[in-house]
């Protein structure tokens, strides 16, 4: 991208979304300033270190460093910015509604440093319908010298998957821009022109897919863009819960859920993605966004029973894992249980709403001794899961050694490479609850039980 087309960009919030957005836009040639109130995080980024794990993000950070700056100072980031992204967290409240306190704080701080030229403020955080209008009012009320039609608000939801965030950023299915201002849409299209035309040089570590052409540009109203984000995540959560519900019936009729989902996934009306049965979905989006939609419905007297059922099924899957263990071990008190995988999905260290957390907590409650392992997320868990009493294992093999049972919670490639027949021979009882279909063909002695399928073997039955 030529400097003549480069825009000045500020990104407020350097979490998973903000950090990926900042690095990606800098790679495309824009001049980006990342803003965060956490000085320790800013110091790390200034040193070229990442506070999160995301494949290849460190490489792109180094390559884009000349166009990146990090600060806690709004006054040095906002006045000259052409586009300002709000990428702060919106954690759920007990009611299910998202907590917008961080969005309000960011919008107020942005407003105080706007300089009177046309500036576009972008809601990148996942926010309820109507938040765009609310942010516009915050800007109007807090700007030092407010100018009508100068400070334009856009909803530009992200559709990134942790673990493949750079791929999803550089080669998106669509870019959604919601605003009532044609000028704001035009500036955002200018910002994203390299993505829309795909004329940038693809990173070696994140190559352009062979069949990829260009993303769709979806121009909508503010409220429609906000609804698109919620509806997309809710539908994906529904697909996973549907697969899990069918998996339960598959076990009872001796069908294999993996064969069933493969068969229905070839139907273009359904598609193969997000039909993996297992311990249920986790992470920062699906649970929060489905709960938020239900909460919004309540505000308008509109019930959403399908989404409520999806959440119920997801919680049931987490309990199912423990129930399967109890069917074999009966009493868990005093048993040593290895839990492999702590992050909610592979290729990330994100522990938010991870199914493994609920699993470990329940095992401890039932008196089991838990030994846990994760290739990436253990350092983060050491801080965020301090309330859980478990032992760390230096390797998956060490966790399995002498265990009465193992529960495989995250489908890391590291676990696929384990010699499972040998590993089971080293366990006190050769029992694995494989919730993510990591173990392929198994012909050894022991029991490998998977969601939606009869146990792979019943040789050497486990005793209490």
């Amino acid at each position: 991208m030529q400097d003549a087309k480069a825009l000045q960009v500020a990104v407020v919030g350097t979490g998973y979304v903000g950090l990926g957005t900042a690095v990606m836009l800098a790679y495309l040639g824009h001049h980006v300033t990342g803003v965060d109130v956490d000085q320790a995080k800013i110091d790390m980024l200034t040193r070229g270190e990442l506070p999160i794990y995301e494949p290849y993000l460190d490489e792109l950070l180094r390559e884009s460093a000349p166009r990146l700056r990090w600060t806690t100072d709004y006054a040095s980031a906002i006045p000259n910015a052409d586009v300002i992204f709000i990428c702060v967290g919106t954690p759920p409240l007990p009611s299910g509604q998202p907590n917008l306190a961080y969005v309000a704080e960011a919008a107020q701080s942005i407003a105080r440093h706007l300089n009177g030229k046309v500036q576009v403020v972008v809601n990148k955080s996942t926010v309820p319908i109507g938040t765009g209008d609310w942010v516009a009012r915050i800007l109007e009320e807090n700007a030092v010298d407010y100018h009508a039609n100068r400070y334009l608000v856009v909803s530009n939801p992200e559709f990134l998957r942790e673990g493949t965030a750079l791929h999803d950023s550089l080669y998106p299915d669509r870019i959604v821009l919601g605003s009532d201002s044609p000028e704001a849409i035009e500036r955002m299209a200018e910002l994203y022109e390299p993505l829309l035309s795909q004329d940038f040089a693809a990173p070696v570590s994140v190559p352009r897919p062979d069949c990829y052409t260009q993303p769709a540009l979806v121009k909508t109203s503010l409220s429609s863009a906000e609804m698109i984000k919620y509806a997309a995540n809710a539908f994906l959560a529904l697909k996973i819960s549907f697969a899990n519900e069918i998996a339960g019936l598959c076990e009872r009729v001796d069908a294999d859920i993996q064969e069933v989902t493969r068969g229905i996934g070839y139907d273009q009306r359904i598609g193969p993605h997000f039909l993996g049965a297992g311990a249920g979905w986790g992470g920062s989006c699906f649970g929060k966004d489905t709960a938020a939609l239900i909460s919004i419905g309540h505000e308008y007297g509109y019930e959403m029973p399908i989404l409520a059922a999806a959440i119920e099924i997801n919680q049931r899957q987490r309990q199912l894992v423990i129930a399967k263990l109890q069917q074999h071990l009966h009493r868990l008190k005093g048993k040593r249980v290895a839990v492999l995988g702590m992050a909610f999905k592979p290729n990330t260290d994100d522990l938010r709403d991870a199914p493994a957390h609920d699993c470990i907590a329940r095992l401890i409650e039932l008196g089991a001794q838990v030994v846990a392992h994760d290739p990436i997320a253990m350092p983060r868990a050491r801080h965020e899961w301090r309330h859980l009493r478990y032992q760390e294992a230096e390797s998956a093999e060490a966790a399995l050694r002498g265990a009465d049972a193992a529960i495989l919670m995250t489908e890391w490639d590291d676990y696929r490479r384990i010699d499972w027949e040998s590993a089971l021979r080293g366990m006190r009882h050769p029992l694995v609850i494989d919730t993510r279909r990591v173990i392929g063909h198994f012909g050894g002695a022991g029991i490998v039980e998977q969601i939606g399928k009869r146990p792979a073997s019943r040789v050497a039955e486990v005793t209490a």
Side-chain angles (χ1 to χ4, degrees):
M1 184 174 179
Q2 301 298 317
D3 285 344
K5 296 181 180 179
L7 298 179
Q8 297 291 330
V9 180
V11 177
V12 179
T14 59
Y16 287 91
V17 174
L19 190 52
T21 299
V23 173
M24 181 267 291
L25 289 173
Y27 178 80
L28 295 178
H30 299 294
H31 300 284
V32 181
T33 300
V35 184
D36 202 291
V37 296
D38 187 339
Q39 183 66 58
K41 188 182 291 187
I42 291 300
D43 291 342
M44 285 186 69
L45 290 166
T46 301
R47 294 193 301 267
E49 301 171 6
L50 289 173
I52 62 170
Y53 176 80
E54 179 65 37
Y56 311 116
L57 186 59
D58 54 347
E59 297 178 22
L60 218 63
L61 176 66
R62 287 193 295 271
E63 191 168 345
S64 307
R67 294 177 296 277
L68 278 168
R69 187 171 67 87
W70 309 99
T71 184
T72 59
D73 183 21
Y74 279 84
S76 69
I78 302 304
N80 294 325
D82 301 303
V83 179
I84 304 158
F85 285 88
I86 297 177
C87 299
V88 296
T90 55
L93 294 166
S95 64
Q97 295 176 322
N99 184 350
L100 297 180
Y102 303 113
V103 174
E105 182 179 338
Q108 290 165 3
S109 298
I110 289 167
R112 297 185 189 107
H113 296 94
L114 296 169
N115 75 355
K117 69 175 184 176
V118 174
Q119 293 177 283
V120 176
V121 178
V122 184
N123 274 338
K124 197 75 170 173
S125 302
T126 301
V127 292
I129 294 84
T131 302
D133 294 328
W134 177 63
V135 167
R137 297 292 79 76
I138 292 176
L139 299 180
E140 181 178 348
E141 293 168 3
N142 290 271
V144 175
D145 186 15
Y146 180 75
H147 296 264
N149 301 319
R150 295 283 182 89
Y151 308 136
L152 313 175
V153 177
V154 171
S155 174
N156 173 217
E158 53 83 18
F159 302 99
L160 310 180
R161 297 166 296 173
E162 290 177 30
T164 60
L166 288 182
H167 177 279
D168 298 342
S169 296
L170 295 170
Y171 317 115
D173 298 320
R174 76 288 203 195
I175 296 174
V176 176
L177 302 176
S179 180
D180 301 323
S181 166
E183 186 176 3
I185 296 291
E186 182 180 347
R187 178 166 294 184
M188 291 301 294
E190 179 185 358
L191 179 77
Y192 285 133
E193 199 280 329
L195 293 183
L196 293 168
S197 64
Q198 285 293 304
D199 63 355
F200 63 90
V204 174
S205 56
V206 192
R208 187 176 284 107
D210 292 338
C211 298
Y212 184 78
T213 54
Q214 295 175 333
L217 177 60
V218 182
K219 301 178 182 180
T220 75
S221 66
L222 268 172
S223 56
S224 291
E226 292 163 345
M227 180 62 87
I228 285 169
K229 171 63 176 179
Y230 275 118
N233 277 353
F235 185 76
L236 295 176
L238 284 172
K239 287 188 74 173
I240 296 171
S241 286
F242 174 79
N244 278 324
E245 187 165 59
I246 296 298
L249 188 58
C250 282
E251 292 184 14
R252 288 158 176 78
V253 301
D254 198 20
D256 185 337
I257 186 61
Q258 200 165 53
E259 295 175 355
V260 172
T261 54
R262 185 172 72 248
I264 67 175
Y266 282 115
D267 189 325
Q268 294 183 8
R269 298 168 299 176
I270 298 173
H273 303 297
F274 289 86
L275 287 175
W281 34 263
S284 64
C285 295
F286 288 176
K288 176 170 67 72
D289 293 354
T290 50
L293 266 183
I294 292 171
S295 177
I296 292 168
H298 286 163
E299 291 178 7
Y300 290 87
Y302 186 77
E303 298 300 315
M304 306 190 79
I306 295 177
L307 290 186
I311 293 174
E312 180 183 348
I313 292 167
N314 196 60
Q315 289 303 118
R316 187 177 70 187
Q317 290 306 113
R318 301 185 184 195
Q319 298 165 15
L320 175 65
V321 174
I322 303 299
K324 285 182 175 294
L325 200 62
Q326 289 174 316
Q327 287 172 9
H328 296 285
L329 294 182
H330 307 300
R331 296 176 301 280
L332 298 182
K333 190 175 182 63
K335 298 293 195 299
R336 176 186 170 97
V337 180
V339 175
L340 301 186
M342 302 165 80
F344 84 94
K345 63 180 291 187
N347 298 319
T348 182
D349 61 350
D350 195 346
L351 298 165
R352 288 175 290 182
D353 195 29
H357 174 277
D358 291 1
C359 179
I360 292 173
R362 182 58 176 153
L363 286 170
I364 294 169
E365 188 177 90
L366 293 171
Q369 178 192 30
V370 178
V371 182
H373 175 267
D374 189 285
I376 293 294
M378 284 199 296
R380 186 174 290 272
R382 207 171 294 146
H383 171 70
E384 296 184 10
W385 290 3
R386 285 176 294 183
H387 57 286
L388 296 180
R389 301 185 309 278
Y390 63 88
Q391 298 176 15
E392 290 185 0
E394 62 182 15
S395 66
E397 289 80 2
L400 292 167
R401 200 172 300 124
D404 292 288
I407 302 176
L408 220 160
M409 296 296 293
T410 313
E411 60 273 34
W412 286 98
D413 285 341
D414 301 53
Y415 300 152
R416 299 185 193 280
R417 292 190 286 265
I418 291 174
D419 180 348
W420 281 100
E421 293 187 15
S422 174
L424 263 70
R425 286 196 296 271
M427 296 175 65
R428 181 177 292 114
H429 295 117
L431 168 66
V432 179
I433 311 298
D434 178 9
T435 72
R436 301 299 185 186
R437 289 293 182 107
V438 167
I439 304 175
H441 175 73
F442 177 76
I447 299 174
V448 175
E449 182 149 353
Q450 297 173 324
I451 306 296
K453 181 184 178 182
R454 289 277 185 90
S457 174
R458 289 195 178 276
V459 181
E461 285 283 354
V462 175
T463 56

